[in-house]
Amino acid sequence: MSWEKKNDAFTVLMCTEGNYELFYEHDAYSFKKGDTVLIPATTEYLKLAGKATLLEISI
């Protein structure tokens, strides 16, 4: 699955169930239930893989 920015604000992704990997440029990061990620407003696109339920908050 891919993620695209919806507005000009930073985004918080909170994993409420499962686990997933986030791919950005040439790096991969692993997250599990309870982990929270802050995505800067300057990020346009990234890829997500795995089986997780994510809460997405844009401020």
Side-chain angles (χ1 to χ4, degrees):
M1 73 184 124
S2 60
W3 174 91
E4 290 186 49
K5 182 167 72 168
K6 295 179 178 70
N7 55 37
D8 290 330
F10 67 87
T11 300
V12 175
L13 294 179
M14 181 182 297
C15 184
T16 60
E17 187 175 320
N19 55 63
Y20 70 101
E21 287 188 301
L22 182 151
F23 300 92
Y24 178 69
E25 294 183 348
H26 302 290
D27 297 314
Y29 306 92
S30 297
F31 300 98
K32 63 186 181 315
K33 181 179 179 180
D35 290 342
T36 300
V37 179
L38 174 64
I39 301 171
T42 56
T43 302
E44 294 288 332
Y45 176 83
L46 50 85
K47 183 177 178 184
L48 305 173
K51 188 167 184 162
T53 302
L54 300 176
L55 171 63
E56 179 179 346
I57 304 165
S58 293
I59 300 173

